[in-house]
Amino acid sequence: MARPTVKTYKEQKFDHLRGLEGISDKQVEEHLSLYAGYVKQVNTLNEELAKLRADGKASGKNAEFAELTRRLGFEYGGMILHEYYFSNLRRAAEPKPAASSPLATALGESFGSVDQWRTDFQAIGEMRGIGWVILFEDPVTDRLTNHWVTLHQEGIPAGFKPLLVMDVWEHAFMRDYKATEKAKYVEAFFRNIDWAIVERRLQETQAIRPAAA
Ligand SMILES: [Fe+2]
């Protein structure tokens, strides 16, 4: 059976992200336009690479082909991780997952308790450098682990399911906080987590993110 035509990616809307606590609307607005740039770049790169393939220029010795291919992981990562990040935020959020929820149970099993998991996740967020902190589930063993991802693409274990994604690039907070105040932003992030979404990501077998339209 023929596969349907591959669609281009569309910028997802995150209109619910207003009135967060400690993350201003202006900050969110700027961040969303930066995300839109990644969506555009993914589409452009895919087109450019397809053209090179069609022209018979897909060669490891072709510097243009190699550079565009290297950029593909960065741009895809930038698009996908921002979609996870924005969709795991909401206004008027609960401070932590419900005590008896499957998520709280899973965090307890892997980290000792929800609080111990949070201490670990926040500690990673305060590491030097730019990137992401991600709570992943290994779908093979059900173990949950916190990871540091450099840029957008280095450090993601293949096939792991992202449950909670926190952007710790400076662009994520520098309208609201100083470069030296990343810990304050991390605290603010924790006041705006949509635990119901994190819970759903845990329950669903497949990774959930706003689908490419
Ligand atoms: Fe970002």
Side-chain angles (χ1 to χ4, degrees):
M1 201 171 70
R3 282 163 64 93
T5 315
V6 178
K7 293 177 184 168
T8 54
Y9 292 93
K10 285 213 175 87
E11 182 190 336
Q12 302 297 308
K13 296 294 168 206
F14 296 97
D15 296 333
H16 69 290
L17 287 183
R18 298 292 180 271
L20 298 180
E21 250 191 73
I23 303 175
S24 69
D25 289 355
K26 225 34 212 151
Q27 176 76 71
V28 169
E29 209 176 286
E30 274 184 18
H31 206 168
L32 285 171
S33 38
L34 192 134
Y35 151 69
Y38 283 106
V39 179
K40 231 171 134 187
Q41 281 300 313
V42 168
N43 287 328
T44 306
L45 272 182
N46 275 326
E47 273 171 33
E48 289 172 347
L49 282 165
K51 189 165 184 313
L52 288 177
R53 282 194 295 272
D55 293 347
K57 292 180 181 165
S59 155
K61 288 180 184 156
N62 178 348
E64 187 187 6
F65 173 79
E67 174 55 21
L68 294 183
T69 300
R70 283 182 209 283
R71 281 173 49 200
L72 199 58
F74 176 80
E75 303 291 356
Y76 256 109
M79 176 180 78
I80 293 168
L81 292 180
H82 279 109
E83 289 176 359
Y84 275 110
Y85 170 75
F86 291 126
S87 50
N88 60 218
L89 291 174
R90 60 162 292 173
R91 64 192 298 273
E94 297 295 326
K96 49 167 77 172
S100 56
S101 63
L103 176 62
T105 307
L107 288 170
E109 281 168 1
S110 290
F111 290 91
S113 68
V114 172
D115 288 343
Q116 281 174 286
W117 159 74
R118 179 179 165 151
T119 302
D120 188 76
F121 192 92
Q122 283 193 246
I124 297 172
E126 288 160 23
M127 278 164 51
R128 294 173 66 75
I130 49 169
W132 301 80
V133 186
I134 305 181
L135 167 67
F136 279 107
E137 181 195 24
D138 175 357
V140 176
T141 65
D142 296 334
R143 177 186 282 273
L144 306 192
T145 37
N146 289 330
H147 293 249
W148 170 259
V149 171
T150 302
L151 298 175
H152 302 311
Q153 74 277 33
E154 292 168 21
I156 298 180
F160 275 30
K161 202 168 58 166
L163 302 183
L164 178 68
V165 173
M166 177 168 73
D167 193 338
V168 283
W169 280 62
E170 281 155 1
H171 69 242
F173 63 89
M174 276 199 60
R175 177 169 271 276
D176 294 335
Y177 303 98
K178 292 180 189 155
T180 50
E181 292 178 331
K182 187 158 71 162
K184 282 191 186 173
Y185 157 74
V186 171
E187 283 289 340
F189 173 83
F190 266 88
R191 294 200 297 276
N192 298 283
I193 296 174
D194 188 340
W195 294 108
I197 287 285
V198 182
E199 191 75 59
R200 252 192 73 207
R201 290 175 182 168
L202 177 72
Q203 301 293 343
E204 296 284 335
T205 320
Q206 292 211 332
I208 306 174
R209 70 181 167 98

